[in-house]
Amino acid sequence: MKIKDIQVYVNCPDRNFVTVRIETDNGLYGLGDATLNGRELAVVAYLVEHIKPCLIGKDAHQIEDIWQYLYKGAYWRRGPITITAISGIDMALWDLKGKAAGLPVYQLLGGKSRTKMKVYGHANGNTIAETLDNLGKLIGQGYEAVRLQCAIPGLSSTYGILKGEKDYFELQRNRPLPPEQAWDTNKYLNFIPELFRQARSKYGEEIELLHDVHSRLSPIEAGRLGKALEPYHLLFLEDAVTAENQANYRLLRQTTVTPLAVGETFNSIWDAKELIETQSIDYLRAAATHAGGITAMRRMADFAALYKVRTAPHGPPDISPIGHAAHAHLNSWAPNFGIQEFVGFGGAQMTAVFRHPLRFEEGYLHLNDSPGLGVDFVVEEAEKYPYKRSYLPVSRLGDGTLWDW
Ligand code: GCO
Ligand code: MG
């Protein structure tokens, strides 16, 4: 099964996605997600200019060797652009191997450890009352776990809140330059525990609750938040602190028993190694699209399992249905799967472009048995939606200091 051609598509069906399509000489094709939000075209150039010429004529069955060839062979290891490009290729090769074998990818990984996978939904709001109404709606739809994000009083905008726009999938449309948002740690820390206090008093203990700090705190500030949230028993607190310095989490860990999750920006097992070995985190949120594809995610899951760390793959709107399908296969297999972030399946444009193998029912995702990853990418539909430059926001303090967004 020799690689005959590699096509790279960048389209904007509601939002930008980079799709890798590898064709082989036996008439099959495999699909991979190589979307890096806000830096899409850098990955496209990496794939087209630097990877494609090296892979034409290679045996598509050699997934591990191709991964090593692209990783070690570049000399310049890691980094989001390189690894997102490798991830797209890796997923497409697993998709191809599954199609060639007539088996879904989870079978190639070792079979199913579970029949369905638990997800957490998102309840957001401009006030606590609105957030809790939305939480009630999700509970009504069968969700057993929900992440709560609420606008911080006194701040003009807050991460995870879309004033006037209710569709989380549209998070980044029409941002030709990075918008600027305000941040104030004191206002945030004074407010968030009240959100969770009211959530517990209204809905009780059964529903599992989560929250994303989006890396805005120092370790000791995060410790204060974790401690204040202890009475409300979160499933996990996400990205409390940035993890470039993995020792941040060792310090945070000593201050609170609120479970900790991190990893959505990780490119490599090396980003997680010390966090896992020191048992400083409870959930690893690496994504197949940004951490090296299925090959790397499988390795991370196995390593994490040694330390009782569970997987909770990043599932934002800026990962394409191909990346979400890769997670579904990994989640079906991983003995130490924890939970999957879930934002819905997107709007009409997305569903016309990507036909995916997932079904949501009562708080769980179900994966069908199509060979490979089970996604179809409808090129003629995709081509109706050209790429639109679009950025993530940046944050600033009241005095103008640039902060972590
Ligand atoms: C999440 C994430 C996203 C990211 C986004 C950046 O928890 O889903 O934090 O909302 O901000 O994926 O591109
Ligand atoms: Mg997050």
Side-chain angles (χ1 to χ4, degrees):
M1 187 164 69
K2 286 209 162 54
I3 297 177
K4 202 173 85 182
D5 195 14
I6 300 179
Q7 293 115 19
V8 183
Y9 298 90
V10 54
N11 309 98
C12 189
D14 287 334
R15 58 172 313 119
N16 292 322
F17 294 115
V18 178
T19 304
V20 178
R21 190 175 182 279
I22 302 185
E23 278 179 18
T24 51
D25 62 357
N26 58 350
L28 296 175
Y29 67 87
L31 298 170
D33 177 24
T35 309
L36 185 63
N37 201 1
R39 296 292 185 269
E40 296 86 355
L41 298 187
V43 183
V44 173
Y46 196 108
L47 283 160
V48 174
E49 296 298 325
H50 304 296
I51 288 187
K52 178 177 168 174
C54 307
L55 296 190
I56 304 294
K58 284 217 164 12
D59 180 359
H61 274 306
Q62 292 289 92
I63 299 178
E64 185 67 57
D65 184 68
I66 290 175
W67 198 99
Q68 300 295 340
Y69 176 84
L70 295 176
Y71 182 78
K72 295 178 181 161
Y75 182 64
W76 311 107
R77 293 172 187 226
R78 303 164 66 178
I81 310 290
T82 298
I83 301 295
T84 304
I86 294 178
S87 302
I89 297 287
D90 182 81
M91 270 182 237
L93 294 177
W94 280 96
D95 190 28
L96 271 167
K97 195 185 273 297
K99 285 171 175 163
L103 291 170
V105 166
Y106 72 78
Q107 291 290 16
L108 307 180
L109 293 169
K112 275 191 182 174
S113 299
R114 56 194 56 77
T115 54
K116 54 184 183 175
M117 53 213 105
K118 190 179 197 166
V119 301
Y120 65 86
H122 294 259
N124 310 321
N126 289 311
T127 59
I128 293 185
E130 193 190 350
T131 309
L132 297 190
D133 276 358
N134 289 333
L135 169 59
K137 285 180 197 151
L138 293 185
I139 294 172
Q141 290 164 28
Y143 281 90
E144 294 178 9
V146 178
R147 194 178 98 175
L148 302 183
Q149 307 293 139
C150 183
I152 310 302
L155 285 186
S156 53
S157 50
T158 306
Y159 162 76
I161 314 302
L162 303 167
K163 284 217 165 87
E165 276 187 80
K166 294 298 170 205
D167 185 354
Y168 192 67
F169 251 94
E170 295 179 347
L171 187 63
Q172 279 194 64
R173 265 199 321 182
N174 303 326
R175 284 175 172 169
L177 284 174
E180 305 224 340
Q181 297 186 343
W183 178 249
D184 186 312
T185 298
N186 195 37
K187 285 191 169 66
Y188 172 77
L189 287 176
N190 287 336
F191 175 72
I192 289 297
E194 179 60 14
L195 169 67
F196 284 85
R197 190 191 67 73
Q198 291 192 32
R200 282 291 176 227
S201 96
K202 188 160 180 190
Y203 295 105
E205 284 290 330
E206 195 68 19
I207 182 77
E208 291 181 299
L209 297 176
L210 306 90
H211 178 66
D212 188 355
V213 180
H214 225 261
S215 306
R216 309 279 167 86
L217 301 176
S218 73
I220 213 67
E221 290 161 352
R224 170 178 153 195
L225 180 63
K227 232 173 157 47
L229 294 176
E230 279 172 13
Y232 315 119
H233 307 131
L234 268 61
L235 181 72
F236 61 63
L237 184 65
E238 172 184 333
D239 284 349
V241 195
T242 55
E244 288 125 313
N245 177 5
Q246 298 184 34
N248 281 344
Y249 276 81
R250 245 184 295 162
L251 181 55
L252 170 55
R253 189 61 146 183
Q254 287 158 27
T255 63
T256 178
V257 295
T258 293
L260 302 170
V262 66
E264 63 183 50
T265 63
F266 290 0
N267 309 141
S268 155
I269 196 165
W270 296 101
D271 294 328
K273 177 177 174 286
E274 195 182 319
L275 294 170
I276 293 172
E277 276 176 346
T278 58
Q279 293 180 294
S280 299
I281 57 168
D282 301 279
Y283 292 86
L284 180 61
R285 285 184 32 79
T289 305
H290 304 126
I294 291 170
T295 299
M297 290 284 280
R298 178 183 58 172
R299 210 154 268 151
M300 278 186 248
D302 274 338
F303 178 58
L306 299 181
Y307 298 90
K308 296 257 180 269
V309 173
R310 282 181 277 183
T311 63
H314 187 206
D318 47 277
I319 282 179
S320 92
I322 303 168
H324 291 299
H327 290 162
H329 287 273
L330 285 156
N331 297 343
S332 295
W333 153 75
N336 54 331
F337 167 66
I339 195 161
Q340 176 62 57
E341 176 181 15
F342 180 58
V343 291
F345 294 124
Q349 297 186 358
M350 265 191 71
T351 33
V353 172
F354 297 97
R355 311 266 157 83
H356 65 78
L358 295 168
R359 180 170 57 83
F360 172 80
E361 200 186 309
E362 297 279 320
Y364 287 79
L365 282 175
H366 297 254
L367 176 61
N368 72 24
D369 277 339
S370 322
L373 292 173
V375 183
D376 225 341
F377 174 66
V378 185
V379 176
E380 314 78 66
E381 279 296 319
E383 283 176 343
K384 291 183 191 164
Y385 309 110
Y387 163 78
K388 290 185 197 156
R389 192 177 73 220
S390 176
Y391 292 96
L392 285 163
V394 298
S395 292
R396 289 188 191 277
L397 303 185
D399 69 357
T401 307
L402 196 92
W403 206 248
D404 302 280
W405 182 78

